[in-house]
Amino acid sequence: MKRTYKILLVLGLSASLFSCSDEFDTRTGQLNTGDLDYTDPSEMGEALVGAYSAFATRGWEEALLLGVRGDDVNAGGLGDQQAYADTDNFIYNNSYWMYNSLWNLHYSDIITLNTAINQLELYEEFMEGDDITRAQQYIAEVKVLRAWLHLNVARTWGDVFIYKTNNPFEEIEENGVSSKAEVMEFIIAEMDEAIPLLPNMRPNERTDYPGGVTSYTAYALKAMANLELENYQGVADAAGEIINSGRFSLYPNYYQLFKTPGELSDESLLELQFDELGTDVGGTFYNEYAPFGPQNWTPSRDDASAGWGFYEPSKKFIKFMLDRNETVRLETSVLFTERGIGELNDEGYTNLPSFVSNITASGDEINDFERALFSSGKHYLLSDQLPEEQNVYGAGKNFIITRYAEVLLMYAEAVTRGATPTAGSATQAVNQIRSRAGLADLSGVTSEDVMDEKFAELAMEWGVRYYDMIRLNNYSELSYDGRTFSANSEYLPYPQEQLDALPLTNE
């Protein structure tokens, strides 16, 4: 979709005119429709592009809050964001701005996507022949994006609202709050409706909107929702469709997968895309990666900005990887400081491999900084890959949401938990991933093997580890480094601003 972004920002902005309510601080989703001609099929893509723009424009705090409670991630020592650090320790303050922001940003985008669906339905009424099919496909694409947002809010708060229109007050009054299970069933039903309408190809095979949603993106969301329901046959069936398609493969270079060369690879099923837009439409369309980066570094490219130090790979994760003799995935996932290496030495890890260094493969030097010992390598862009004349940390880097490796591991877990295989054995799926990581094959893979592989492969990615652990009631893994996790810590409390405005409870 990179070639569409010059119009994407303009359309996305014009498609995001919204007003605020004193009761519900969110977008009403009313798009600027004054200049739209619903009889003109050439304009129909504008609503879709606006939807993708809204979806890609994520607040920096969203990914942090979704992932920080896992045992793979620490918040870092944040004096200026103490409630965020407390959240990492399962001490929740429902007045904290991040909680309300995550809620509002996800739901406001859901409503914006609903408005895009409304627009596309209006176009559909006036279309004929292939243009009707195209309108239905675009609607299905937007529903997949909407499903991912619903998945996140349900994983975070449990019982939440399902919004299918851009009139949330009417839906709240009519339907109230849905259980987490009901949200997952909604996602599954929506994906079943969407799949026949979507192209059967990889996202990077699309020529109209490269990187856009396809049927396999919908299958992945369906597998995730079934996983939350512990419907393992449903997981195996949905993930098996992706595997059996033969269209997807693991990007051979795990390190570069999360850098510029890995953008829109054959492994990607859903990816936020960012790019230079040109001065005529505002210059850039970037995600804010600074929260993930080190506060202090000496980049190989002069003047490249440092980060904020808000997202730290845990020592528990690093030790787990060292104990497994991980090389490729550990070097990819973690940026080391000398102080961090020293603490590993002090805790008995004295014979560290040579790649455990505060100088990255591209020559960026990670200096000691106050807030953390380590930083996330998966959210790091080599300074020499920054766009010309840009020095913002991670500028232009795409943000992978769902990739084929996760599909293989969901499939493997489902089979080891009793699902009938639909696309080969769990062992075959796991060994594909281990082979890329330079590890020897396993035989007779167990559920425990799969969960270890998911920890190693998917750490620091959108809270996957945390949601796995609470799904399995594996509280002991989350009780680490002085933390104590219990069942009543699984979900964040509803934001106080929402309790004051909406029919929610603290129970």
Side-chain angles (χ1 to χ4, degrees):
M1 297 179 69
K2 291 234 175 182
R3 65 184 178 83
T4 71
Y5 269 120
K6 282 187 179 287
I7 61 167
L8 186 152
L9 184 61
V10 173
L11 294 171
L13 292 176
S14 67
S16 298
L17 298 177
F18 54 85
S19 60
C20 294
S21 163
D22 291 336
E23 292 182 295
F24 190 74
D25 181 21
T26 189
R27 306 177 191 178
T28 64
Q30 298 301 315
L31 300 190
N32 180 9
T33 60
D35 297 327
L36 297 180
D37 178 0
Y38 292 114
T39 67
D40 184 353
S42 69
E43 294 184 6
M44 187 163 49
E46 295 182 5
L48 179 65
V49 172
Y52 276 112
S53 176
F55 182 73
T57 310
R58 306 255 52 88
W60 63 263
E61 68 277 10
E62 293 179 86
L64 271 70
L65 192 56
L66 289 170
V68 75
R69 290 184 291 165
D71 57 337
D72 51 338
V73 177
N74 293 335
L78 305 178
D80 56 341
Q81 296 290 336
Q82 186 57 48
Y84 172 64
D86 288 341
T87 301
D88 181 31
N89 287 284
F90 317 120
I91 301 167
Y92 302 147
N93 176 359
N94 73 335
S95 296
Y96 182 45
W97 72 269
M98 273 196 188
Y99 296 7
N100 196 54
S101 179
L102 178 64
W103 178 286
N104 270 343
L105 290 173
H106 266 57
Y107 271 122
S108 64
D109 284 341
I110 286 171
I111 294 167
T112 298
L113 296 180
N114 289 340
T115 302
I117 291 172
N118 290 349
Q119 275 193 297
L120 290 164
E121 289 172 341
L122 289 171
Y123 277 107
E124 185 183 3
E125 291 180 16
F126 294 96
M127 295 299 105
E128 296 178 351
D130 290 343
D131 288 327
I132 294 176
T133 302
R134 187 160 60 93
Q136 293 171 341
Q137 175 190 317
Y138 290 174
I139 291 168
E141 289 183 54
V142 180
K143 286 183 176 181
V144 174
L145 303 180
R146 182 178 70 179
W148 183 78
L149 296 170
H150 277 108
L151 177 76
N152 286 343
V153 292
R155 279 174 159 179
T156 303
W157 283 284
D159 299 344
V160 294
F161 298 114
I162 296 173
Y163 291 154
K164 294 182 281 187
T165 74
N166 57 1
N167 295 301
F169 295 115
E170 291 181 9
E171 293 195 87
I172 290 170
E173 184 174 350
E174 181 176 349
N175 303 318
V177 175
S178 299
S179 69
K180 179 180 177 181
E182 289 171 333
V183 176
M184 298 306 147
E185 294 289 359
F186 164 72
I187 291 171
I188 292 166
E190 288 275 289
M191 296 306 95
D192 283 340
E193 290 180 10
I195 285 166
L197 303 172
L198 293 166
N200 293 318
M201 58 180 65
R202 288 190 310 272
N204 68 357
E205 290 180 298
R206 289 187 58 171
T207 57
D208 53 351
Y209 297 105
V213 163
T214 73
S215 64
Y216 300 111
T217 317
Y219 275 121
L221 266 291
K222 182 179 178 180
M224 291 176 189
N226 274 297
L227 192 64
E228 290 294 331
L229 293 173
E230 299 181 56
N231 176 11
Y232 294 116
Q233 191 59 56
V235 176
D237 292 343
E241 291 285 346
I242 301 170
I243 297 167
N244 286 332
S245 75
R247 291 184 175 274
F248 293 86
S249 60
L250 300 176
Y251 188 72
N253 188 321
Y254 188 76
Y255 187 84
Q256 292 292 349
L257 172 64
F258 300 94
K259 312 296 184 286
T260 300
E263 291 182 351
L264 295 187
S265 73
D266 290 357
E267 185 170 346
S268 179
L269 285 109
L270 185 59
E271 187 168 326
L272 304 180
Q273 299 177 64
F274 305 98
D275 202 1
E276 295 282 332
L277 298 172
T279 56
D280 54 332
V281 290
T284 59
F285 182 52
Y286 291 164
N287 186 65
E288 177 62 86
Y289 283 104
F292 298 100
Q295 279 183 294
N296 186 17
W297 72 337
T298 305
S300 63
R301 205 196 88 171
D302 291 342
D303 300 325
S305 298
W308 302 349
F310 283 13
Y311 202 76
E312 179 188 39
S314 68
K315 277 196 290 186
K316 176 184 176 181
F317 167 72
I318 295 169
K319 292 175 182 178
F320 168 80
M321 297 293 273
L322 289 168
D323 291 343
R324 286 166 53 93
N325 295 316
E326 294 271 358
T327 55
V328 173
R329 291 189 292 198
L330 179 55
E331 183 177 12
T332 300
S333 301
V334 180
L335 303 181
F336 296 88
T337 66
E338 289 187 341
R339 187 163 64 96
I341 293 170
E343 289 211 8
L344 290 172
N345 292 158
D346 292 343
E347 295 178 24
Y349 290 82
T350 55
N351 189 25
L352 294 172
S354 60
F355 69 83
V356 177
S357 166
N358 72 317
I359 300 177
T360 72
S362 67
D364 295 323
E365 183 175 357
I366 313 302
N367 302 319
D368 290 347
F369 58 98
E370 182 179 358
R371 281 182 168 153
L373 300 169
F374 315 99
S375 290
S376 172
K378 287 183 174 177
H379 301 89
Y380 150 69
L381 184 66
L382 316 178
S383 69
D384 60 14
Q385 288 183 7
L386 288 169
E388 291 184 14
E389 300 181 1
Q390 291 293 329
N391 66 350
V392 177
Y393 188 86
K397 171 179 158 61
N398 282 4
F399 207 149
I400 298 171
I401 293 178
T402 306
R403 52 193 181 88
Y404 185 51
E406 183 174 1
V407 171
L408 288 170
L409 289 167
M410 285 193 292
Y411 176 82
E413 181 185 354
V415 171
T416 62
R417 298 195 190 280
T420 300
T422 61
S425 70
T427 300
Q428 289 171 326
V430 167
N431 283 338
Q432 284 186 58
I433 294 168
R434 289 178 60 87
S435 176
R436 177 175 62 178
L439 300 177
D441 285 354
L442 298 177
S443 59
V445 164
T446 66
S447 296
E448 184 178 356
D449 293 329
V450 176
M451 300 317 295
D452 283 350
E453 207 63 38
K454 288 188 82 172
F455 193 19
E457 177 73 20
L458 301 171
M460 288 155 308
E461 296 184 43
W462 296 103
V464 171
R465 171 67 174 181
Y466 177 76
Y467 300 120
D468 276 346
M469 293 299 97
I470 66 171
R471 169 172 55 87
L472 300 172
N473 297 324
N474 198 345
Y475 301 155
S476 62
E477 291 295 329
L478 298 174
S479 299
Y480 74 102
D481 289 351
R483 297 165 177 78
T484 301
F485 188 88
S486 60
N488 61 7
S489 299
E490 287 191 355
Y491 302 109
L492 291 183
Y494 296 119
Q496 186 60 50
E497 292 186 39
Q498 305 306 323
L499 290 174
D500 292 342
L502 300 170
L504 293 162
T505 70
N506 275 311
E507 299 176 358

